[in-house]
Amino acid sequence: MSDLVRDVRVRFAPSPTGPLHIGGVRTALYNYLFARKMGGKMLLRIEDTDQNRFVPGAEAYIIEALNWVGIQIDEGQTANGPSGPDAPYRQSERRDIYQREALRLVEEGKAYYAFDTADELDAMRKRLEEANAPAAQYNAITRMQMRNALTMSAADVKARIDGGEPHVIRLKTPRKEEVRLNDIVRGWVNVHSSAIDDKVLLKSDGLPTYHLANVVDDHLMNISHVIRGEEWLPSAPLHVLLYRYLGWEATMPQFAHLPLLLKPEGNGKLSKRDADLGGFPIFPLQWTDPFSGTVARGFREDGYLPEALVNFLSLLGWNPGTEQELFSMNELIEAFDLEKIHKGGARFDIEKARWFNHQYLRQRSNAELAPAVQVQAQAAGLDCSPEKAEQVVALLKERVNFAHDIFPEAHTIFYAPEAYDETIRAAKWNDDARRAVTVFRDALLTYNGPFEADAIKHLLSDTLMQAGIKQGKVMQAMRLALTGSGVGPDLMLTMQIVGKEGVVARLENALDKL
RNA sequence: GGCCGAUUCGUCUAGCGGUUAGGACAUCGCCCUUUCACGGCGGUAACACGGGUUCGAUUCCCGUAUCGGUCACCA
């Protein structure tokens, strides 16, 4: 580790093989929080070195998803193309660079050409397994039985390459060497080089594998910290070795391997299947698979607010050590600290995400939420003014977790009751109740004041008092008459929104049917 | 299986040798309220196990168990 003060530069480097997994979103978030906290830069690099797994639309999806959650990219691939001094940012467009470095390793004797076919590799692994070898790998021992530059003459190798025979470049992993790595999250990790095999660096299609590409790019892009998922921990020592062989160890980035997101229950890491089973999303945005047409739900489409998702995700694997639970993005940036990232995996509990959504939903203004109600009302063929929508929001937003739950919750406002709750009717509908509804209706008929909750409340209590009826005894019945239900939001406000004519009509209908 | 890593309430977590082991979600109860919800208050609930080290271990070390990751010309 260097004591040199180095500009913080981090990258999020997803592979465009489909929609971004929620764990990837968290990785991106942690990178972003750290970059902002340190006054550094956040890069987005597209790791598309596997042509077979390329999925159209995936890159655009990733960019849109990051944008939606509020992660700003300083350099890298954007919706408008590459932006920054190290372009291009798609690895498929940087193949010359990787080839150059791979060749350099070959020339320096740190890597070598290999010509083994897939079948030959399979046979080798099978043989080793049957021989009960601890691990079936292509390494310092087995490579001498394979078809590569170490077992062939230079002339033979050259002839094969010149003749166009498919070949890869493999790392010549040292036989005995302790590789150490000081991970910010996990501390020192030691791995013996015998556990690292002769990984393919450059594939036969001329593109690099992840290992080569990420090391080369992180170096060239001056990445100071590699913050990535724990699934990379086992290959981190290999990357250290690569930095060393490429002569870049002095400026090697620091590593921080993040704990995984686990299934809500049971064993294993969080998968799409868990999401489907649990009825919740696992992708930030809805995704339509371009091949099958299958649609996967997204947090955004499911009604989650981006700030809620961010807050929820931020606390899955990290905690500032205070008892604060609600954090804006800026507060997260302020509080974020790589040292406080946990080591253990975190189970994904959607209940908590819902609670966060509730918290942020209630912070949104009525005007912001009103359109959601209007759209649903109109879709249901109802007339709903912006003013009415706002009133409905004001009345109900604290009762729900999602904006789209407001309209259904407002059912008793938009629709006069067609049926009445039988239990409440049996318990509360009596002579006093009928009389209360009658006198209130009569009072309403002659009432000319403003039809607002406060005024309605006074009118109601005055009327009931004059009729000698105890208000508490009949309110439940009044609610039944007005809404058909025994439960619901504030009745006076409900009446205000329904309007005087509507209220009178409902009362008369109740008198008729109850 | 080899290698690497992890292990505090059901869940997310605080804790970095001495605490009545704290908070949040969920759950239960009470209060508020004409009802439900929100909100407020309170309750139930955890240091995986076994050895050490120490005056003293949730905390440090070693085992065991369990879980996870990884062992591709995928990332």
Side-chain angles (χ1 to χ4, degrees):
Chain A
M1 267 191 300
S2 168
D3 288 335
L4 283 172
V5 179
R6 143 127 95 144
D7 286 344
V8 165
R9 289 171 63 80
V10 298
R11 85 298 196 277
F12 179 55
S15 183
T17 53
L20 197 53
H21 184 277
I22 199 67
V25 176
R26 191 197 54 170
T27 300
L29 176 65
Y30 282 16
N31 271 282
Y32 177 70
L33 295 177
F34 182 65
R36 284 288 178 274
K37 166 84 178 185
M38 305 303 286
K41 293 270 193 287
M42 167 83 175
L43 318 223
L44 176 65
R45 188 171 70 219
I46 303 297
E47 309 229 328
D48 56 348
T49 54
D50 186 353
Q51 300 167 316
N52 301 322
R53 294 208 303 159
F54 176 78
V55 175
E59 179 188 303
Y61 176 100
I62 289 164
I63 292 170
E64 189 185 350
L66 294 178
N67 182 54
W68 178 66
V69 295
I71 293 174
Q72 293 160 6
I73 303 302
D74 299 309
E75 292 175 22
Q77 196 66 23
T78 73
N80 301 319
S83 162
D86 300 312
Y89 293 95
R90 281 193 195 119
Q91 293 185 326
S92 60
E93 296 169 15
R94 301 167 63 80
R95 66 166 69 203
D96 292 352
I97 300 171
Y98 312 118
Q99 278 171 358
R100 183 187 75 208
E101 298 302 334
L103 244 32
R104 186 159 67 85
L105 288 175
V106 171
E107 281 159 18
E108 293 174 7
K110 291 161 181 159
Y112 59 91
Y113 292 107
F115 302 90
D116 314 278
T117 63
D119 285 347
E120 287 167 341
L121 290 171
D122 283 348
M124 179 266 279
R125 293 195 182 100
K126 204 172 165 209
R127 201 181 335 121
L128 286 169
E129 267 171 43
E130 281 166 2
N132 257 320
Q137 50 179 23
Y138 201 120
N139 61 17
I141 300 163
T142 54
R143 65 186 169 222
M144 297 317 288
Q145 282 122 242
M146 305 302 288
R147 297 200 305 128
N148 56 50
L150 303 172
T151 60
M152 295 174 178
S153 71
D156 194 2
V157 171
K158 186 172 188 313
R160 286 169 190 272
I161 290 173
D162 290 346
E165 183 170 334
H167 60 277
V168 300
I169 292 179
R170 283 183 182 272
L171 177 71
K172 194 172 169 188
T173 307
R175 170 95 112 109
K176 301 183 196 175
E177 203 171 306
E178 195 69 26
V179 184
R180 307 186 77 209
L181 149 80
N182 194 198
D183 187 273
I184 295 173
V185 180
R186 283 147 214 286
W188 284 104
V189 178
N190 300 307
V191 175
H192 194 83
S193 65
S194 61
I196 303 170
D197 58 356
D198 288 3
K199 283 277 180 316
V200 170
L201 265 21
L202 204 67
K203 300 182 280 187
S204 56
D205 63 3
L207 282 165
T209 56
Y210 170 84
H211 305 296
L212 209 223
N214 101 86
V215 167
V216 168
D217 283 345
D218 285 345
H219 173 258
L220 261 22
M221 295 179 184
N222 231 293
I223 297 302
S224 62
H225 300 259
V226 169
I227 303 168
R228 83 233 291 197
E230 190 189 344
E231 67 268 27
W232 292 112
L233 194 55
S235 52
L238 163 70
H239 302 154
V240 172
L241 218 46
L242 271 171
Y243 279 103
R244 185 175 303 162
Y245 282 6
L246 287 162
W248 303 331
E249 198 172 7
T251 55
M252 183 173 76
Q254 282 194 266
F255 294 98
H257 288 94
L258 271 24
L260 265 22
L261 259 28
L262 273 20
K263 291 178 185 297
E265 49 200 35
N267 303 148
K269 63 176 180 180
L270 183 66
S271 70
K272 175 156 186 314
R273 189 180 143 72
D274 301 309
D276 294 342
L277 247 39
F280 59 83
I282 197 184
F283 302 124
L285 275 31
Q286 190 175 82
W287 166 259
T288 305
D289 186 277
F291 304 119
S292 68
T294 310
V295 176
R297 62 205 298 174
F299 277 91
R300 182 225 258 159
E301 288 73 15
D302 271 21
Y304 286 87
L305 268 10
E307 57 267 45
L309 215 214
V310 163
N311 200 151
F312 168 63
L313 247 25
S314 72
L315 264 11
L316 244 37
W318 169 81
N319 186 289
T322 65
E323 290 189 347
Q324 184 177 352
E325 297 277 340
L326 264 19
F327 292 87
S328 66
M329 186 70 94
N330 284 337
E331 288 173 319
L332 285 174
I333 290 167
E334 181 59 34
F336 194 71
D337 181 358
L338 284 180
E339 306 282 339
K340 287 190 176 288
I341 291 175
H342 308 149
K343 298 179 176 71
R347 278 188 195 279
F348 191 84
D349 179 13
I350 199 67
E351 276 303 321
K352 195 130 185 185
R354 294 194 179 108
W355 177 79
F356 275 113
N357 209 249
H358 174 75
Q359 298 302 318
Y360 286 96
L361 189 73
R362 50 191 303 185
Q363 283 180 22
R364 294 281 250 246
S365 73
N366 298 335
E368 280 177 292
L369 265 17
V373 171
Q374 250 188 303
V375 166
Q376 281 174 293
Q378 279 158 7
L382 294 164
D383 211 25
C384 180
S385 68
E387 294 72 28
K388 182 170 180 177
E390 271 192 51
Q391 287 184 304
V392 168
V393 169
L395 182 62
L396 297 167
K397 74 173 173 184
E398 298 210 334
R399 304 168 66 87
V400 300
N401 289 144
F402 299 97
H404 59 71
D405 284 339
I406 296 176
F407 177 70
E409 191 80 3
H411 187 272
T412 58
I413 290 173
F414 285 103
Y415 299 92
E418 287 173 7
Y420 299 87
D421 185 298
E422 272 310 316
T423 313
I424 301 295
R425 175 184 186 162
K428 304 287 184 182
W429 190 255
N430 51 34
D431 289 349
D432 270 356
R434 171 170 289 278
R435 205 152 61 80
V437 170
T438 307
V439 296
F440 184 46
R441 184 230 18 218
D442 292 345
L444 248 22
L445 256 14
T446 58
Y447 177 73
N448 286 317
F451 202 70
E452 287 162 5
D454 278 351
I456 299 168
K457 186 170 189 163
H458 281 122
L459 178 67
L460 177 62
S461 50
D462 290 350
T463 306
L464 292 182
M465 196 188 299
Q466 279 166 27
I469 300 168
K470 275 219 167 75
Q471 189 170 345
K473 297 268 188 196
V474 297
M475 284 307 292
Q476 193 80 345
M478 190 66 74
R479 175 179 292 280
L480 180 73
L482 283 162
T483 69
S485 167
V487 300
D490 186 272
L491 235 203
M492 305 305 151
L493 280 166
T494 298
M495 282 194 266
Q496 177 186 316
I497 302 172
V498 169
K500 188 173 142 183
E501 281 72 40
V503 168
V504 170
R506 289 185 186 197
L507 292 177
E508 279 176 347
N509 197 243
L511 255 13
D512 206 33
K513 292 187 178 162
L514 279 168

